[in-house]
Amino acid sequence: MRLLHLFAGFFAVLWSANATSDNLTDLVIWDPYSVTINGSRVFIYSGEFHYQRMPVPEMWLDIFQKFRANGFNAISVYFFWSYHSAAKGVYDFETSGKNVQRLFDYAKEAGIWIIARAGPYCNAETNGGGFALWGSDGSMGSLRTADATYHNSWEPWITNIGQLLAANEITKGGPVILNQIENELQETTHSPTNTLVVYMEQIEAAFRAAGITVPFTSNEKGERDFSWSTDYEDVGGAVNMYGLDSYPGGFSCTNVNSGFTVVRNYYQWFANYSYTQPNYLPEFEGGYFTPWGGSFYDDCQAEHEPAFADVYYKNNIGQRTTLQSLYMAWGGTNWGHSAAPVVYTSYDYSAPLRETRQIWDKMYQTKLIGLFVRVSKDLLKTYMVGNGTGYAVDSAAIWTWEIRNPDTNAGFYIVQQSISSSTASVDFSANLNTSAGIVNVTDINLNGRQSKILVTDYNFGGNTLLYSSADVLTYGVFDVDVLVLYAEEGQTSHFALKHIPSPGGHTVLGKSKVSSNLSGDVITLTYTQGAGMTVVMMNGLVVYLLDQPTAWKFWAPPTTTNPDVKPNEQIFVLGPYLVRSASVSHGVVHVSGDNDNATTIEVYTGNSDIQTIDWNGLRLSAVKTPYGSVTAQIPGTEGRAISLPPLTNWRSADSLPEKVPSYDDSKWTVCNKTTTLSPITPLSLPVLFSSDYGYYTGAKIYRGYFDGANVTAVNITCSGGLAFGWNAWLNGVLIGGNIGNASLTTTNAILPLPTKSLKPANNLITVVVDYHGHDETSTSKGVENPRGILGATLLSANSSSPTKTGFKLWKINGNAGGSANIDPVRGPMNEGGLYGERLGWPLPSFDPQSPQFSESTPLEGLKSSGIEFYISTFHLNIDSDLDVPLGIELGAPAGTVARIMIWINGYQYGKFEPHIGPQTRFPIPPGVINNRGLNTIALSLWAMTDPGAALDTLELFSYGAYQTDFTFNQDWSYLQPVWEESRLQYA
């Protein structure tokens, strides 16, 4: 394909378009090119962030500062109904990690906008897709339709969260600029009476009634349907700005050559279905999740290396995209039972910012693009000139997009391999259309999975690039204009500058070989990128030429908290692992950041009076460079002692006393319901669905009684989500169950009953059913798919399918207090129904010294089936100026069949299932763990077979160490409520 031709009618719309608003505010308006905020066109460079996946609000600011430093000016945020509403009519927006006002305040402090995504449905691989789990009993009605019961269920949620969003809109000085009203809801029938259309209208009305005035958005679920655009069969329910989600990467953890195929029809898609609106990708692949039984994220870097950002995100720019949000930008952790069954504890997602909050090369490359679009305002109004294989280049191995600004004639040629998965090194030349005519630029190289943006007539400050075959990283307006270019070491690049007054000569400092040619008022410089940094000085201009690793450590901290950063509102810093902020006062440049390895810091401020660099409070004498910057040496953490204690001094106790008949279950809930609101029919009566009795999350324990010694087997069906498992005991003797299958949500077993364990009367079957979350709506009935026991029937030799179950009584127990949410700090999904959980054994200050506890370690484990709780404490004393991301590593001998959960200071922060996998390392953030002080650790070990189970690895470790001035070491006691005697009532 050589060139996309559009209808003349579309060009007419494009050229004559005026800005559009939602008629409620003019602070956020749009046209076919881009969004305008506060009167200025902006490129929305956003990243998805889920505060639920980080229960420590103070860490939100850490993450936001890292986003801002890496070029993001916005975050996209789901607000999970399930997290805030433990019971019907109950809403918590204030306690600890549910305090969304702190989210808004931190975003504003960090200088980033918020794109709100407030449901009612989210998906997001979170428990129930974000639906309130109290609706998992079927009481919400027909989900995601205009059903009146469903409407009455979600409307209070929208009212409550909507009022908070409205109070924090940009119209009121807050950070919220857009509001997505539902998630990937496909409009399959374009009719005003269709239930989905009516539903969308209802949600819009509810948000407006709550006070929302910013524009509404939506997100199409890939190129599958044409939903909710005012430009395509608008029969109702349409939003102000249509968006298209896309995950094109072909995720693979095992084959580096799989996938990596870019999509090249976004431009055409938007031209067809949302031509009066800017091209918007609300969820573009920042990574991808892996399932139970799959590969762990550390092994999944084939398509999510720096090249992924370089090729895919520039490909989007080439198709006129001016709003892009990466899903995920930081994934976080599915702590507690917050995960949907399709994922395990980690939600790292191979995102640019790791689950541990660490920056890796993929984020650094993502930053290069973010800093480029921050200052390249000519990108915000472009039309497609042409595109295709061999377009404007002399090689069929290269694909080119050419877009151009109609007002300034600035051009952008985005070049990539025609076969985007190619790892070949391709040399080519390009014919670039400039104000000086067609210029043939030679010696361009794409080294495999690499992309470049070649610019023409690119204005920066008081200067103009006639063209450049090196990527523009950014530019700043200081005492002189400072331009920053980057390329891979060894690549040759050309750039030409127009109208340089008295160009004279130039001075080169660095390893790049640079030559120049002056023709009229245009000076052309040719260079081969050397290692590190080269600086070119000429009259009124400084040009940094950076190789890629050096560019990754280039920072442009803004001097404003406005997310819309202008070129003269930046300071340039090179060298550290992270720069959070920078400012100048009284001859001192103050730089706040993080650093791992000792390095040279270089700062360009445009202020010739700078004599001192203040790095995190450390005053350093500054050495001036010939081109106007200042440098100093900053320390790393190489010599810093970080001592992590061994995990010893364990106490343990049986956490399954319920399996023996003598256990007192008089306070348990009797299963006596014969009907259910669930859309799923029970396999036996009474109803045994756990949600029907108010137990939504975590493991459930059942006790079923029957009389008679002539019973031969029991037929049990359980459901707990993918890879869940269950066990059953007869009068304390294991009779079997299912150890779990990563492909099965529901499992059935007919378990023989050993005659030697049967009694004439009052036999007891104890069933423990694990829990991996409620389903998203992509699975059958979604959150309304029941959990726990779906059916249980006794079998005898006389009949294999009796009309009655044979049981005379069933009882159930689950998390302490059920939906009462007795631990609002940790929230409604942190705990399950294991005996030790109910009694609060993992909580700080619990003293495991009663006679039921003994000295035993998880490394000794169990010699038969059962569930054991292990408790210990440890102290940490990490220096207060260090960020040391910590984790717990677990391992077990091959063949171990067990389910292990980890608690740190009462937070369930890991599920280790060695027979299913894949996760063995579990990050624990500051605030959940005390970097300075006492910590409580607890493990539950569920041995699912009679050989028992034990761990062979159990240790605390660090992912790295960074000197910082961010306060990671605080008094976290408000996040760590302690054990109270009232827990004893839940035995």
Side-chain angles (χ1 to χ4, degrees), residues 185-197:
L185 185 68
Q186 295 172 261
E187 187 180 9
T188 56
T189 302
H190 293 264
S191 167
T193 59
N194 181 265
T195 186
L196 299 185
V197 174

Side-chain angles (χ1 to χ4, degrees), residues 21 134 136 162 222 231 239 259 271 330 348 350 425 468 480 563 612 691 788 818:
S21 75
W134 50 258
S136 60
D231 297 333
V239 298
W330 173 81
D348 177 84
S350 292
S425 180
S468 174
V480 297
T612 304
S691 291

Side-chain angles (χ1 to χ4, degrees), residues 443 470 487-495 508 510-515 525-534 545-547:
D443 305 317
E488 290 189 7
E489 183 180 353
Q491 288 184 329
T492 297
S493 299
H494 308 265
F495 65 97
V508 179
K511 296 181 179 180
S512 297
K513 297 178 180 179
V514 182
S515 61
L525 290 91
T526 299
Y527 71 97
T528 300
Q529 181 64 56
M533 174 182 71
T534 297
L545 308 177
L546 309 180
D547 70 358

